Amino acid sequence: MTVRGRSRLTALSMYAWVLALVTVTGLASAVTRDEASQLQARAREIYLEDGPRPALPVFEQALALHRQAGDRLGEAITLGLIGNCHKRLADYPLALQYLGTAVAMKRELGDRLEEGKTLSHIGLVYWEMGQYSQAIDHFQEAMLAGRETPDLRLEGSALNNLSLVYDELGDYAKSLEGYERVLELYGQTDFPRGESDTLANIGGVYLLLGQYRRAMDYYKRAEGIDRHLGLKPALSSSIGNTALCHLGLGEIEEALEGFESAIELAHEGGLRQEEAYFLKGKANAMLLQGKYDFALDLHRQVLGIYEETGSRGELVEALSELGELYLQLGDLARAEEQFDRALETAEKIGKHRGVTQSLLALGELRWYRRQYSQAVTFYQRALVRAEAVGDRVRTAEALSRLAKASRDLGQFETALETAGKALESSRQAGLPLQEARSQLVLGEIERARDQPDQALKHYAAGQKIATRVGDPDLLWRLHFGMAQALSAAGQKEDAVEALKKAVEVIDSVRYRLREERFRAGYLEDKYNVYVELVRLLLELERVEEAFSASEMLRSRSFLELIDRAPQLWPNSGEDRRRLSELQSRIRLLQNALEDERSVSITDRRQPAIETFSLELAAAEREFQDLLDDLRSRTVFSSRHASRRYGSNDTRVHALLSPDSALLEYLVSKDELIIFTLTAEGLQATTIDVRSSDLRTKVELLRGLLLRPESSAWRKPARSLAELLVRPIEREGWLDGISHLYIVPHGVLHYLPFALLPRGSEEAGRFLIEDYVLSYLPAAAVLDQGDETRTLDRSLLAFAPDRSKLRHVQDEVHSIGNLISAQDRVVTGSMATEESFKRLASEYQVLHLATHGVFNHLNPLLSSLELESSAKDDGNLQVYEILDLTLDADLVTLSACDTALASGFMADVPAGDEFVGLTRAFLLAGSAAVMSSLWEVRDRFTADFMVDFYRGLELNSNAYSLAQVQRKFLGSDSRYRHPYYWSPFVLIGDVVQNGRNFGKTADEIVKAR
C-alpha cells in the first residue's frame, strides 16, 4: 500500500508538474498551432490556384510546425496533403507512402471523416496506376465513411472517383449515373469546386463517345467555375479538354489556342503530366496542318517531360508514338530507333506487355521492308513472351503474323501449321476478330498453294464471323480473297459477284475510314479490287461494264478530295460544321469499337461495346441523312466540280468529236489494260506486262531525261511506246485521230506521253508531232456542253520573291503584256496568299510562277509557295484551293514538280489515289490546269510560257501547248532535248468557248 500510494503520489506530482509547464508554455504552443494551421491554409490556396509544385514546400513547413506543436491530427492531415501533391506530380510510390502514413494516424486518432478523405485519395493513386480493384475498394470504403459521418462532400467525392473507374471499365451508363448523383450531393452542400470536377468528368465521357459539342458544354461550365474560383490547375484541364473537343471538330485554330493556354497553366503549376498531355494534343493539331517539323519538336518535348518526371511507362508509349510519326514521314530508320528504345525501356521497367508489343512492332517494320526472315525472328520472340504469361491475345496476333511472313517466304507448310495454331488460339481466347483474321491468312496461304477450294472454305468461315461482328475492313478483304479463289477455280461469274460485294463494302465505309494517313497496303488493295473487277469483266467480254468499273475506280479516287474536304459539299457554315463533327465522331467510335472487340472475352467491356455501337449507329444515320440532303440541294458554284463524276454511262463517247480519241489505261499486277474510246464506240486491249516492269521503264526514262546532254532516253521511250500506243495504232483505232485525251493510271501519271516516238528509228517522229495531247483524271471530266462566260478573257499572274527563281518576274510581265488590258500582274512581297484567294475568282486565266511543294504523306497539305501576310503563312495548300470558287479556263502552275503525286520513287502506291495541286484546281472550278512533271530551269520556262500564251491568242490551250512543244522540238537550239519541253502537261478540258479563245477540233485538223 505504501509503495502504491507513493507511486500514485509521484504520478500525481508529475501530472502537476506537467500542468504547470503547460501553463507556462501554453501561449507559445498555441501560437505554433495557429501558425501551422495558417500555413496549411495558405498551402491549400497555392495548391488550388497555382498547382502542387509551389504548394509542396509550404505544406512541408506546415508539417514541421504541426510536429513541433504536437498536433497529431494536423500532422496527419498535412501528410495527406503532401501525398496529394506527389500524386499530382506523378510520383505514385511517394504519394502512397505519405497517404498510407496519414490514414494510419487518422485511424489511430479515431477521426473517421479524415480517414475517409485519405482513403479516397489513395484510391485515386491506384486509379492513376491502373490498379482498378484496389481503387474500387478504397473508394467504396471512403463512401461508407461519408455516410457514417455523415458528410455529403466526402460521399460525393468518393462516388465521383468511383465513377472514374467505371469510365475506365467502359460502363459509361453507370459512371454517368454516378456523376449525376454527385452533382446532387454537391448541390446540397454548396461545393462549387467539386461540382467543377464532376462536370469535367461528365464532359470526359461525352468526349470519349465523340459527342464533342455536348462535351464542350460541360467543360465550359466547369471552366466558368474554375475561373470564378481562380483555380489554375483545374482551369488548365478544362481549357485543354475543350481544345480536344475543337480538335475533334476540325476547328484547328481554336484547338491550338486552347492547347497553348492549357500548356502555359500546367507549366506554371508544375503539372508535368498535364503539360505533356496537352503538348501531344498540340502536336496532333499541327499534324493536321502539315507542320511535321513542329509536331516532331513537340513530341520531343513530351519525351523530355516524361524523362524528367521518371514516368517510364508513359515514356514507352511516347517513344512508340514518335516512332509512328517517323513512319508517317517515311523515315523508317528513325522509326526503328524509337521502337528499339521503347523496347529497351519496357524491358528495364519490366513492362511485359510493352516488350511484347514492341517486338511485334519491330517485326512489322521488318515485314514492311520485305525483310521476312528478320520479321519472323521478332514475331517468334514476341510469341515466346506472350505464351509464357498466358497472353492469348498477343499469342494469336504473333502466330497470325508469323504465318503471314512464312507464306511470303514460300514456306507454305509452316505457314499452314502456324495459321492453324493462330486460329485455335483465337477460338480459345474468344477473339472473333482475330479468329476471322486467322481464317483470312489461311485462305491466302491456300490460294498461294493453288488450292482454291480449300481457300474458299476459309474465306467463307471468315466472312461469317466478320459479318456477325461487323468489321467492314476485314469483310471486304475476305470478299476480295474469295473472288480471286473463285477466279482461279474457273468460276468467273461468281468471282465478279464477290468483287462487287467487296466494292459495296468499300463504298459503305468510304466516309468513315480512320485517317491514319496513307496505309499503303490498304489503299493498294482497295485499287486492286477495282482492277481485278475490270480484268474479269474483260475476260467475260463485258467491255462496256469493264469500262464503267474502270471509270468508277477513277471517279471514286477523284472524289476523295471532296470526301476529305467536306467544305466543298455544303453551302453554309452550319452544314460544314455538322459534316466535320459527324465525320470525326464516326471515326472515333469505330476506332473505339475495334479496340473493345480486339481483346479477349474476359477483358472485353460489354457495356462499352453496347454504348459505342448505339452511338455509332445513330451517328451514321445522321451523317447519311445529312449527305443525302446536301446532295439533293447543293449546286456547286464551279462549273466543273458540279459534274456528275463516277457515272457508269459509257455514252461519254458522244462527247468526242470525230477527230478525237480517249485512251484510258489501267495497270494491274501482270497486265496493262487500254480502253480506246472514239465517237464510233469503245474498244479494249490487254498487254502482257508486269506493273513492276512498267514502273521500272518509266522511272528509268525519267532518270535519263534529267541528263539533257544524253540521248540514252530514246531506248526506254521506244519500249514504252511499243506498249502504250503502237498496239492501238496497229488495230487502226487511231486512224483519222488528231487529238488524244490521255487518262493515265499508276506510274503512267508521271510519264510525258508527248516524247514517245512513233517509229523505231533514231530520228523518228514524236507523238506530240502527230497528236494534240491533253490529260484527264477520268473520262467523266469531259465537258458536257458550252457555257456562257461571265468574265472577260483576263489574266492574273503571281510571282513571289519567296521562290527565289531568277526569271519569274520577267516571265509574268511578258505574259501580262500579251493577253489583254484587263490583266493583273502581282510580284514580289505583294504576291501574298491572301491576295490570291481574294482575286482568283475574278479572272479567267491564272498563272502562278513559283515553287510547288508536294506532301507525299498528306496530299491535302501539298502547297504552292506565295508570300505570307498577317492572315496566312504563304503556303497555298490543296485543301485551301478546294475552298476557292473559280471560273477559270486555265490555271498554269509554272513551278517545279506540281503534277507529281504520292507514288513516284516512294513506297506509297502511285496512281489515281493521288490528291495533287492540279486536281484541286480542277475541282475548284478551272476547266484545265497546265503543270510540270519535273523541275525545269526557270530561264527556259520563262521563254516557254511566253510562247505558250502568245499562241493562246488564237488557239485552244491544248493546241497552243502542242505548238510550243513542236517549236522547241524542231529547233536547232540546246532546248531540243525533251528534258526542256516534254514535262509540261495540260490536264482537263480543251476549252473551245470564250472570246476568240481557241480553235475547234476541225480547225486544228485544217491548220495541220
Side-chain angles (χ1 to χ4, degrees):
M1 289 292 295
T2 303
V3 174
R4 291 176 67 185
R6 184 170 61 248
S7 296
R8 181 177 292 180
L9 177 62
T10 303
L12 288 173
S13 298
M14 181 64 71
Y15 176 79
W17 179 82
V18 171
L19 184 61
L21 181 61
V22 170
T23 302
V24 174
T25 61
L27 182 60
S29 296
V31 170
T32 301
R33 288 185 179 185
D34 186 54
E35 288 176 349
S37 298
Q38 289 180 9
L39 201 57
Q40 185 193 85
R42 175 60 185 148
R44 286 176 183 266
E45 285 183 22
I46 296 172
Y47 178 88
L48 292 173
E49 295 176 2
D50 299 313
R53 191 172 297 282
L56 190 55
V58 186
F59 276 128
E60 290 171 343
Q61 294 174 35
L63 177 63
L65 290 179
H66 281 302
R67 285 173 171 167
Q68 183 179 344
D71 183 358
R72 297 268 295 163
L73 181 58
E75 179 183 353
I77 292 172
T78 309
L79 283 168
L81 294 170
I82 291 174
N84 291 341
C85 287
H86 288 296
K87 174 177 68 67
R88 292 294 299 274
L89 294 171
D91 191 341
Y92 303 129
L94 193 56
L96 286 175
Q97 180 181 328
Y98 274 98
L99 290 168
T101 303
V103 79
M105 291 180 66
K106 291 175 179 180
R107 279 177 181 153
E108 181 184 337
L109 294 168
D111 194 323
R112 182 65 167 148
L113 176 61
E114 283 295 329
E115 179 189 353
K117 293 178 181 178
T118 306
L119 285 168
S120 186
H121 286 296
I122 293 174
L124 282 173
V125 176
Y126 284 119
W127 173 72
E128 292 276 10
M129 296 170 67
Q131 299 179 20
Y132 301 126
S133 60
Q134 293 96 321
I136 289 173
D137 291 342
H138 283 82
F139 291 145
Q140 288 177 338
E141 192 174 349
M143 286 175 61
L144 182 61
R147 293 189 185 118
E148 290 174 354
T149 324
D151 188 288
L152 295 180
R153 286 192 183 182
L154 174 57
E155 182 183 354
S157 175
L159 178 56
N160 175 83
N161 297 337
L162 183 60
S163 298
L164 290 172
V165 180
Y166 291 137
D167 283 344
E168 297 294 341
L169 296 175
D171 195 343
Y172 303 114
K174 197 168 185 177
S175 69
L176 285 172
E177 180 182 350
Y179 291 136
E180 293 297 340
R181 172 59 181 158
V182 171
L183 289 179
E184 292 178 10
L185 293 171
Y186 287 162
Q188 297 174 38
T189 60
D190 188 25
F191 187 31
R193 179 169 61 83
E195 184 181 354
S196 169
D197 291 340
T198 305
L199 287 168
N201 290 337
I202 295 174
V205 175
Y206 289 120
L207 177 65
L208 186 65
L209 295 175
Q211 298 185 32
Y212 301 116
R213 294 292 177 190
R214 197 168 184 181
M216 195 181 298
D217 288 341
Y218 282 96
Y219 286 134
K220 287 292 186 182
R221 288 170 61 186
E223 181 182 336
I225 296 173
D226 299 337
R227 289 190 184 278
H228 179 71
L229 298 177
L231 309 178
K232 288 185 181 179
L235 187 61
S236 170
S237 294
S238 296
I239 293 174
N241 287 323
T242 301
L244 288 172
C245 293
H246 284 302
L247 188 59
L249 294 167
E251 299 166 356
I252 309 302
E253 295 301 326
E254 293 87 342
L256 284 170
E257 184 179 348
F259 286 134
E260 290 288 356
S261 298
I263 291 165
E264 182 179 356
L265 288 168
H267 183 75
E268 290 174 359
L271 307 175
R272 302 298 280 159
Q273 296 281 64
E274 284 86 347
E275 182 179 1
Y277 185 67
F278 295 130
L279 279 170
K280 286 201 295 182
K282 181 180 178 182
N284 291 333
M286 287 191 158
L287 280 174
L288 293 176
Q289 293 185 326
K291 298 177 180 178
Y292 296 103
D293 291 340
F294 291 102
L296 279 172
D297 290 341
L298 290 175
H299 275 291
R300 292 180 184 125
Q301 288 184 47
V302 171
L303 285 181
I305 292 173
Y306 288 143
E307 288 169 338
E308 177 186 330
T309 60
S311 305
R312 291 189 293 177
E314 288 80 1
L315 182 63
V316 172
E317 296 178 4
L319 287 166
S320 296
E321 286 191 25
L322 182 58
E324 290 171 4
L325 177 54
Y326 281 131
L327 278 177
Q328 291 179 10
L329 292 168
D331 193 338
L332 302 186
R334 288 193 180 183
E336 186 171 16
E337 290 176 9
Q338 308 312 310
F339 292 143
D340 284 339
R341 189 179 170 200
L343 175 60
E344 180 184 359
T345 306
E347 288 176 334
K348 283 183 179 179
I349 65 176
K351 191 170 183 176
H352 193 280
R353 189 171 65 179
V355 173
T356 306
Q357 197 61 48
S358 296
L359 290 170
L360 287 170
L362 286 165
E364 201 69 4
L365 186 66
R366 266 58 177 191
W367 184 84
Y368 179 78
R369 289 171 167 168
R370 299 185 180 182
Q371 299 170 347
Y372 302 127
S373 296
Q374 295 182 34
V376 165
T377 301
F378 280 102
Y379 293 150
Q380 287 175 336
R381 289 174 61 190
L383 177 62
V384 170
R385 294 184 61 86
E387 288 179 331
V389 297
D391 185 347
R392 290 186 293 180
V393 175
R394 282 164 185 78
T395 295
E397 185 178 356
L399 285 168
S400 181
R401 293 186 182 187
L402 265 173
K404 177 180 65 176
S406 298
R407 176 203 64 191
D408 293 327
L409 288 169
Q411 301 168 357
F412 297 130
E413 295 303 323
T414 300
L416 273 177
E417 181 182 355
T418 308
K421 291 180 180 178
L423 181 61
E424 181 182 358
S425 179
S426 301
R427 286 172 173 167
Q428 290 177 351
L431 302 171
L433 278 177
Q434 189 59 50
E435 181 181 349
R437 291 189 182 105
S438 298
Q439 294 283 13
L440 174 61
V441 173
L442 282 164
E444 296 292 287
I445 295 169
E446 293 288 14
R447 189 165 60 82
R449 294 174 67 235
D450 295 325
Q451 299 293 324
D453 292 337
Q454 292 298 318
L456 286 170
K457 293 179 182 179
H458 290 296
Y459 289 135
Q463 282 180 6
K464 185 176 180 180
I465 300 171
T467 301
R468 183 178 72 250
V469 175
D471 185 336
D473 182 68
L474 181 58
L475 192 56
W476 78 259
R477 293 180 187 276
L478 287 161
H479 283 309
F480 184 37
M482 179 168 281
Q484 294 175 88
L486 286 167
S487 178
Q491 303 175 45
K492 306 293 185 181
E493 293 287 354
D494 291 338
V496 167
E497 294 307 310
L499 286 168
K500 289 181 178 179
K501 289 180 181 178
V503 169
E504 182 180 349
V505 174
I506 291 171
D507 287 346
S508 73
V509 301
R510 190 158 56 94
Y511 292 112
R512 50 191 175 94
L513 286 173
R514 295 186 310 278
E515 291 183 310
E516 298 172 12
R517 296 190 188 99
F518 286 83
R519 287 190 168 186
Y522 174 78
L523 292 175
E524 189 72 19
D525 287 345
K526 178 182 176 183
Y527 279 97
N528 285 338
V529 173
Y530 292 94
V531 171
E532 183 67 10
L533 179 58
V534 172
R535 191 188 66 78
L536 275 180
L537 287 169
L538 284 178
E539 280 191 27
L540 295 170
E541 298 183 355
R542 291 152 65 174
V543 179
E544 290 194 354
E545 195 175 345
F547 181 71
S548 296
S550 176
E551 273 292 286
M552 181 169 56
L553 161 64
R554 299 166 198 281
S555 300
R556 294 294 188 200
S557 61
F558 198 20
L559 282 173
E560 285 296 313
L561 284 170
I562 295 176
D563 298 335
R564 294 178 182 271
Q567 64 267 30
L568 280 178
W569 285 94
N571 290 324
S572 71
E574 176 62 19
D575 288 335
R576 296 183 185 191
R577 181 194 66 75
R578 288 176 63 201
L579 272 176
S580 178
E581 177 179 345
L582 287 168
Q583 283 179 315
S584 297
R585 185 178 170 199
I586 286 169
R587 293 186 191 105
L588 183 146
L589 290 168
Q590 184 188 9
N591 221 345
L593 264 177
E594 182 171 335
D595 290 341
E596 293 294 339
R597 289 168 171 166
S598 65
V599 301
S600 66
I601 291 178
T602 55
D603 294 333
R604 195 171 301 155
R605 305 180 302 175
Q606 191 59 36
I609 290 177
E610 293 173 0
T611 303
F612 287 139
S613 297
L614 291 172
E615 293 287 336
L616 178 58
E620 288 174 344
R621 284 195 300 270
E622 187 177 352
F623 186 82
Q624 191 58 57
D625 290 344
L626 178 58
L627 277 184
D628 291 342
D629 178 54
L630 287 172
R631 285 167 178 159
S632 66
R633 62 183 168 86
T634 299
V635 178
F636 294 127
S637 56
S638 73
R639 59 194 175 103
H640 290 274
S642 62
R643 293 190 185 131
R644 182 167 54 90
Y645 295 113
S647 170
N648 57 7
D649 182 2
T650 57
R651 289 174 296 176
V652 69
H653 62 77
L655 303 173
L656 294 168
S657 61
D659 59 350
S660 299
L662 182 143
L663 306 182
E664 181 159 305
Y665 294 88
L666 193 61
V667 180
S668 70
K669 183 179 179 181
D670 297 309
E671 296 173 329
L672 172 68
I673 298 168
I674 310 175
F675 292 100
T676 304
L677 189 65
T678 66
E680 296 179 357
L682 175 67
Q683 305 290 338
T685 187
T686 300
I687 310 299
D688 292 330
V689 59
R690 292 187 300 177
S691 60
S692 57
D693 292 340
L694 190 62
R695 179 186 180 90
T696 299
K697 291 176 184 292
V698 173
E699 291 182 349
L700 174 62
L701 174 61
R702 285 179 60 97
L704 294 174
L705 285 169
L706 299 182
R707 295 157 49 189
E709 73 287 350
S710 171
S711 62
W713 59 271
R714 291 183 178 274
K715 185 174 181 180
R718 285 196 300 271
S719 176
L720 284 166
E722 284 297 317
L723 292 171
L724 302 174
V725 181
R726 289 296 297 154
I728 307 168
E729 290 183 321
R730 281 193 288 266
E731 293 288 344
W733 296 339
L734 297 185
D735 292 347
I737 299 298
S738 59
H739 188 150
L740 292 180
Y741 290 99
I742 307 293
V743 184
H745 179 235
V747 73
L748 298 181
H749 278 103
Y750 315 124
L751 171 67
F753 278 71
L755 60 71
L756 295 180
R758 297 295 311 280
S760 59
E761 66 278 4
E762 283 290 321
R765 295 176 63 80
F766 293 93
L767 203 66
I768 193 61
E769 293 184 88
D770 293 324
Y771 300 99
V772 174
L773 303 179
S774 54
Y775 297 76
L776 298 174
V781 183
L782 278 172
D783 206 343
Q784 297 185 13
D786 293 341
E787 300 176 14
T788 302
R789 309 300 299 165
T790 58
L791 298 174
D792 290 334
R793 183 168 173 256
S794 52
L795 172 139
L796 176 67
F798 265 56
D801 285 338
R802 180 182 175 189
S803 66
K804 295 184 170 35
L805 296 172
R806 292 177 54 195
H807 301 285
V808 295
Q809 308 282 340
D810 294 338
E811 174 185 331
V812 295
H813 283 294
S814 298
I815 293 168
N817 292 332
L818 287 174
I819 297 186
S820 72
Q822 289 78 33
D823 298 338
R824 183 165 184 173
V825 175
V826 185
T827 61
S829 61
M830 301 300 293
T832 65
E833 178 186 353
E834 185 276 330
S835 60
F836 179 80
K837 290 177 181 177
R838 177 168 43 84
L839 297 170
S841 62
E842 301 174 11
Y843 290 83
Q844 199 169 342
V845 178
L846 305 175
H847 183 96
L848 293 102
T850 184
H851 279 300
V853 179
F854 189 80
N855 187 324
H856 70 92
L857 293 165
N858 191 343
L860 278 177
L861 301 175
S862 298
S863 62
L864 291 170
E865 293 182 350
L866 298 174
E867 300 294 337
S868 61
S869 66
K871 293 185 178 181
D872 49 57
D873 60 4
N875 296 316
L876 181 63
Q877 295 175 311
V878 165
Y879 73 89
E880 294 173 305
I881 297 169
L882 293 171
D883 213 19
L884 298 175
T885 301
L886 303 180
D887 196 17
D889 289 318
L890 176 67
V891 174
T892 298
L893 305 178
S894 179
C896 305
D897 303 329
T898 50
L900 285 185
S902 61
F904 183 62
M905 300 295 188
D907 291 329
V908 182
D912 289 316
E913 80 283 6
F914 85 80
V915 181
L917 293 161
T918 54
R919 293 192 176 185
F921 278 108
L922 289 174
L923 277 172
S926 177
V929 178
M930 189 168 77
S931 57
S932 57
L933 291 170
W934 59 75
E935 181 178 353
V936 181
R937 297 170 190 175
D938 64 316
R939 173 68 270 179
F940 170 79
T941 301
D943 294 341
F944 186 94
M945 289 299 168
V946 170
D947 283 347
F948 170 73
Y949 282 104
R950 183 179 290 116
L952 203 61
E953 281 293 301
L954 298 175
N955 302 303
S956 70
N957 44 26
Y959 186 68
S960 180
L961 175 60
Q963 273 192 321
V964 68
Q965 288 179 319
R966 292 166 184 170
K967 170 189 171 182
F968 285 102
L969 171 61
S971 69
D972 294 328
S973 70
R974 59 193 178 98
Y975 294 141
R976 178 186 179 89
H977 194 282
Y979 159 78
Y980 295 102
W981 53 264
S982 69
F984 298 100
V985 293
L986 183 77
I987 304 170
D989 282 355
V990 177
V991 178
Q992 309 295 348
N993 52 355
R995 181 169 61 85
N996 194 30
F997 196 75
K999 295 183 178 181
T1000 64
D1002 289 338
E1003 290 172 329
I1004 293 173
V1005 174
K1006 291 177 182 178
R1008 295 180 54 201

